[in-house]
Amino acid sequence: MNGPVSIEVLKQHLIDPEICIRCNTCEETCPIDAITHDDNNYVVRADVCNGCMACVSPCPTGAIDNWRTVLRAEAYSIDEQFTWDVLPAQGTTADDALRAGQAEGGVGAQAAAEPAGIEVDTVRGSTVPPWSAAKPYVNLYTHKAPLRATVVGNYRLTEAATESDIHHIVLDFGTTPFPVLEGQSLGILPPGTAPDGRAHHARQYSIASPRDGERKGYNNISLTVKRVTQDYQGKRVDGVCSNYLCDLKKGDTVEVIGPFGNTFLMPNHADSHLLMICTGTGSAPMRAMTEYRRRRRLKGATGKLMLFFGARTQEELPYFGPLLNLPKDFIDTNFAFSRTPGQPKRYVQDVMRERAADVAQLLRDDSTYIYVCGLKGMEDGVLQALQAIADQHGLAWETLWPKLKRDGRLHLETY
Ligand code: A2P
């Protein structure tokens, strides 16, 4: 019998374990919970993924954008994917079957077409950069070929008496290029192995310095790192990489991969405004953008900067002193302290509401770009504050929000 063969071929979505930095962005972004992870890998459930692509552009490394043509019956299970160190090569069976099916007009090849590309509006922020952002470099250095950087500075930013131990760490790349833009991140490979005997995964940190160097004209960058001493439930846990970094001495070397990130980037047109909202170490990209604007201001950048910055107390707010020294006509800085003795608890979203008229003025302007970085919990609160402010001032949030997202003007990075 030579009739058409019934074969169901699938374009299976996979994540490259060699490049993935386990930042959880894909899992958070997936609107249908097709992505999951264990201690080893992030993986995609073949029977759930519908190829909507919502996860693809937010992925900072591009590890998410991998596809293999397989017979549906032979799709890689998540248990198999959990064990991988590298992606499997494209096999031939499915390709042969696909070609045979197509040649014979066979049934079942439908799922092997390009991913569905359906419109997904569950993504809360932009998945595209501002139109005027510079083109970033990504993945120049990988797990297999990291770059070695030298520590040239490591300073505690928070008062010694406080619980929050936040460091400003400066890394120098010598003569090897490590080109970055404000808003990008890098990965640090901590030495040693995890309890399962495998090398530790890279940990991702936002870069706190502008593109032209922590020190202008130098090939160095800075990071803002908080020493992790407890987990989300308050249980004692010593963060592997944060403790490693905070304990580094001048002259030590570290392995760096990256850079990562191609959407959380600043606009480059001179009259663009930045509305920046952050807590704690989420201040790193805001510092980078602010400093770049400060350097550019001398060359005629005219856009406004407005910052909302939350911390437990003034003593625990990184860069408090330097921020206060910036001219008031350059940046409108607003602090929110949640644990100042004798004072009511204030979060960034509370202070945004107090400054509603000025926030609304920025929201009204198509040249305003919004950046939110810090604790996961703040994301809802900040979006609700933006909604309330917009609605009160006759700017229908329902139409403004999708427009901000579409135009690369609302960037969210929370953890
Ligand atoms: P809190 O005192 O309630 O923890 P951290 O020091 O843990 O990085 O936190 C930085 C700041 O963010 C703190 O002031 C913290 O307040 C605040 N914060 C915690 N949860 C939220 C939230 N849901 N929205 C806004 N800010 C928050």
Side-chain angles (χ1 to χ4, degrees), residues 164 226 279-280 310-312 336-339 345-349 375 377-378:
S164 307
K226 181 173 184 180
T279 56
R312 297 176 187 191
F337 298 119
S338 57
R339 302 192 197 180
K345 192 179 190 81
R346 289 171 94 223
Y347 280 171
V348 278
Q349 53 269 38
L375 295 178
M378 75 186 283

Side-chain angles (χ1 to χ4, degrees), residues 271-291:
D271 59 350
S272 51
H273 313 302
L274 307 182
L275 173 56
M276 301 176 281
I277 304 146
C278 63
T279 56
T281 54
S283 56
M286 315 309 179
R287 178 182 185 270
M289 292 186 191
T290 303
E291 179 57 12

Side-chain angles (χ1 to χ4, degrees), residues 224 264 275-287 290 306-312 317-319 323 331 333-337 346-349 351-352 370-375 378-379 382 411 413-415:
T224 314
F264 193 112
L275 173 56
M276 301 176 281
I277 304 146
C278 63
T279 56
T281 54
S283 56
M286 315 309 179
R287 178 182 185 270
T290 303
M306 189 172 199
L307 172 69
F308 292 91
F309 193 163
R312 297 176 187 191
L317 185 132
Y319 311 114
L323 268 171
I331 182 166
T333 300
N334 302 267
F335 296 122
F337 298 119
R346 289 171 94 223
Y347 280 171
V348 278
Q349 53 269 38
V351 185
M352 287 171 72
I370 306 170
Y371 299 87
V372 181
C373 189
L375 295 178
M378 75 186 283
E379 201 174 294
V382 168
H411 297 277
E413 200 163 277
T414 56
Y415 38 83

Side-chain angles (χ1 to χ4, degrees), residues 25-325:
T25 307
C26 54
E27 194 171 319
E28 275 169 26
T29 313
C30 179
I32 52 168
D33 292 333
I35 299 177
T36 182
H37 70 277
D38 70 354
D39 286 346
N40 196 34
N41 283 338
Y42 275 73
V43 299
V44 186
R45 295 181 223 272
D47 54 336
V48 180
C49 177
N50 61 8
C52 74
M53 306 295 273
C55 58
V56 172
S57 61
C59 169
T61 65
I64 195 82
D65 199 8
N66 280 282
W67 310 83
R68 293 286 184 276
T69 309
V70 296
L71 294 176
R72 185 178 280 280
E74 293 176 3
Y76 299 106
S77 69
I78 58 167
D79 288 333
E80 198 173 353
Q81 294 175 51
F82 282 142
T83 65
W84 288 347
D85 291 323
V86 293
L87 278 181
Q90 174 64 64
T92 53
T93 325
D95 282 344
D96 291 348
L98 176 60
R99 270 192 294 277
Q102 282 168 343
E104 295 167 20
V107 290
Q110 72 280 10
E114 281 306 302
I118 56 169
E119 180 110 356
V120 174
D121 59 6
T122 48
V123 181
R124 307 172 106 198
S126 295
T127 55
V128 290
W131 69 265
S132 62
K135 185 105 189 68
Y137 287 94
V138 290
N139 293 332
L140 292 177
Y141 302 94
T142 60
H143 289 79
K144 273 196 185 142
L147 179 59
R148 196 160 272 285
T150 305
V151 178
V152 291
N154 185 351
Y155 317 95
R156 182 169 168 141
L157 292 166
T158 42
E159 297 275 323
T162 66
E163 218 181 86
S164 307
D165 186 6
I166 303 181
H167 285 234
H168 183 70
I169 299 170
V170 186
L171 301 178
D172 191 278
F173 298 106
T175 54
T176 313
F178 193 84
V180 297
L181 292 174
E182 306 74 16
Q184 282 195 291
S185 57
L186 52 65
I188 299 285
L189 298 177
T193 51
D196 65 1
R198 292 169 183 265
H200 287 298
H201 295 310
R203 304 304 203 272
Q204 188 186 6
Y205 294 94
S206 284
I207 293 163
S209 49
R211 65 190 77 181
D212 47 356
E214 165 70 8
R215 181 163 171 189
K216 195 171 175 202
Y218 280 63
N219 190 20
N220 57 16
I221 57 104
S222 62
L223 305 176
T224 314
V225 182
K226 181 173 184 180
R227 189 189 292 276
V228 174
T229 53
Q230 46 183 247
D231 66 12
Y232 287 101
Q233 276 107 43
K235 214 176 86 207
R236 172 87 205 188
V237 171
D238 289 326
V240 170
C241 199
S242 67
N243 279 278
Y244 162 65
L245 286 172
C246 289
D247 290 337
L248 286 169
K249 306 269 173 305
K250 222 168 147 176
D252 288 345
T253 61
V254 289
E255 288 197 318
V256 178
I257 62 173
F260 308 124
N262 50 19
T263 56
F264 193 112
L265 300 173
M266 67 187 290
N268 277 320
H269 49 299
D271 59 350
S272 51
H273 313 302
L274 307 182
L275 173 56
M276 301 176 281
I277 304 146
C278 63
T279 56
T281 54
S283 56
M286 315 309 179
R287 178 182 185 270
M289 292 186 191
T290 303
E291 179 57 12
Y292 186 62
R293 264 306 173 82
R294 195 189 64 79
R295 291 178 191 177
R296 262 193 80 187
R297 190 181 182 221
L298 306 172
K299 296 188 191 140
T302 55
K304 298 191 184 87
L305 275 67
M306 189 172 199
L307 172 69
F308 292 91
F309 193 163
R312 297 176 187 191
T313 61
Q314 175 183 316
E315 293 74 25
E316 289 166 278
L317 185 132
Y319 311 114
F320 182 74
L323 268 171
L324 281 187
N325 289 337

